[in-house]
Amino acid sequence: MSSSNLTETLCIVGAWLVTFGAVGAYGASVILRGRRLSKIVPPEQRRWM
Amino acid sequence: MTTTKTQSASNLSPAPTGTGSRGTRVLGGFALVFLVIAVAYGLFISPADAQLGNTIRIIYMHVPTVMAAYMAFIITAVSSGMYLWKRTEFWDLLGSSGAEIGVLFFAVTIVDGALWGKVTWGVFWRWEPRLTTSAVLLIMYIGYLAVRAIPADPRTRATRCAIIGIVAIVNVPIVHKAVDWWRGLHQGKTVLGTIDPEMGGTQLFAMYSALIAGLLVCVWLLIHRFRAGFLAERASDLGLDQALEERRLESSPATGEDA
């Protein structure tokens, strides 16, 4: 594999990993934060529907 | 009366143990389906582009993330305007949730663009119009989040953020039109300003699958982030109530002695 092809492959894989990694990590942090806060807040104040 | 109250209490379903609900689970399921299709077509099934080659696979991530970011910033601007009008916690929380998610997606857009630039232009970054205005836009919304983090009275903080949320949105059309207004390296505007009109078949399918997935994930995140923010406010209220109660108990014995 030539140097330019290697760079291209690394950049493509990197772009997908960055996108899924960043959005996935943020989503997980929001979910965990919600679960942690749910233990503090009384049930009657955390009804969504 | 007692029987009726007991019956209605027993009819209530248990309170959720997080920010999820039936609606978010359905939405998350749809997002997951489109993500799987986007990965399959974007990375494996769709062919390389005649002009862009395999770098089109970066565009399958670049376009959905920027569209999601724009949507989040527009939600922030609308919520900011509504907050200044209605002055309710709902609009403040929705605006801040949109700003945070917009920053996330826009930062990812810039990183993806830089990786595409490395392959196509040979460099990660150029101070050309689209990239420069994008950097300014990102900094403005990071500023929004920084202002939100400054300790202040909640109403004052919400008003400051609402003003920034309205001012910052002006930069979105400037970023979008930068390729038309100034000559730069970034490719010109195409269908909806983002999707190439010459694209067809599996390439177009991959692009639209990724676009729908990106927007669904953005809405899903927005709902969860809004609810987490709502819970944080309630937890903060409880902490304040508890502190006031402790203060009241501390002062009570002294009052008793004085009497």
Side-chain angles (χ1 to χ4, degrees):
Chain A
M1 188 181 271
S2 70
S3 172
S4 62
N5 281 345
L6 182 66
T7 306
E8 187 182 85
T9 307
L10 286 175
C11 285
I12 292 166
V13 173
W16 282 69
L17 284 179
V18 164
T19 307
F20 278 76
V23 175
Y26 176 79
S29 76
V30 170
I31 298 285
L32 291 176
R33 190 177 166 215
R35 283 187 186 168
R36 185 171 50 78
L37 288 164
S38 285
K39 289 174 185 166
I40 304 168
V41 178
E44 63 272 15
Q45 291 188 14
R46 51 184 161 90
R47 291 192 180 279
W48 307 124
M49 298 298 285
Chain B
M1 284 293 283
T2 315
T3 316
T4 317
K5 273 185 183 174
T6 314
Q7 278 174 348
S8 55
S10 63
N11 285 340
L12 285 172
S13 57
T17 52
T19 51
S21 62
R22 193 180 170 197
T24 57
R25 280 187 281 278
V26 171
L27 190 66
F30 275 114
L32 199 62
V33 168
F34 278 99
L35 278 174
V36 170
I37 294 169
V39 170
Y41 275 84
L43 280 180
F44 305 107
I45 300 172
S46 75
D49 187 69
Q51 289 182 345
L52 296 172
N54 276 314
T55 60
I56 194 172
R57 301 185 201 287
I58 299 177
I59 308 299
Y60 293 143
M61 288 288 98
H62 186 62
V63 173
T65 52
V66 77
M67 295 299 274
Y70 284 169
M71 184 175 78
F73 290 151
I74 290 168
I75 287 170
T76 298
V78 172
S79 302
S80 298
M82 288 302 291
Y83 176 79
L84 292 178
W85 181 28
K86 299 283 185 185
R87 301 276 173 184
T88 59
E89 186 191 35
F90 174 87
W91 294 112
D92 176 47
L93 282 176
L94 188 61
S96 64
S97 304
E100 195 173 291
I101 290 162
V103 164
L104 168 77
F105 277 102
F106 205 67
V108 169
T109 301
I110 289 178
V111 173
D112 287 351
L115 290 167
W116 183 83
K118 177 64 181 169
V119 181
T120 312
W121 303 333
V123 286
F124 287 110
W125 188 265
R126 278 281 177 91
W127 288 105
E128 63 94 53
R130 171 59 75 81
L131 272 62
T132 306
T133 51
S134 297
V136 172
L137 180 67
L138 183 65
I139 290 165
M140 284 179 91
Y141 279 95
I142 289 173
Y144 176 105
L145 297 178
V147 168
R148 193 152 187 94
I150 297 170
D153 168 64
R155 280 174 174 254
T156 310
R157 183 189 66 185
T159 305
R160 286 174 186 162
C161 289
I163 292 166
I164 298 170
I166 291 169
V167 172
I169 196 68
V170 174
N171 206 13
V172 169
I174 296 173
V175 171
H176 190 64
K177 297 289 284 180
V179 288
D180 297 330
W181 291 345
W182 302 288
R183 191 171 294 171
L185 272 176
H186 200 282
Q187 74 175 67
K189 200 170 59 151
T190 53
V191 174
L192 294 174
T194 48
I195 298 171
D196 191 338
E198 291 179 9
M199 210 182 257
T202 50
Q203 285 181 344
L204 202 60
F205 185 72
M207 178 62 84
Y208 277 113
S209 302
L211 187 60
I212 293 168
L215 295 178
L216 287 175
V217 168
C218 181
V219 174
W220 181 82
L221 279 175
L222 191 71
I223 296 170
H224 279 286
R225 175 61 186 79
F226 174 87
R227 288 171 177 175
F230 178 83
L231 288 174
E233 292 293 324
R234 295 293 76 76
S236 174
D237 292 346
L238 285 171
L240 195 64
D241 289 345
Q242 199 175 352
L244 285 170
E245 182 65 18
E246 282 171 7
R247 189 72 183 270
R248 194 184 64 77
L249 288 171
E250 276 173 18
S251 61
S252 292
T255 314
E257 280 168 19
D258 289 342

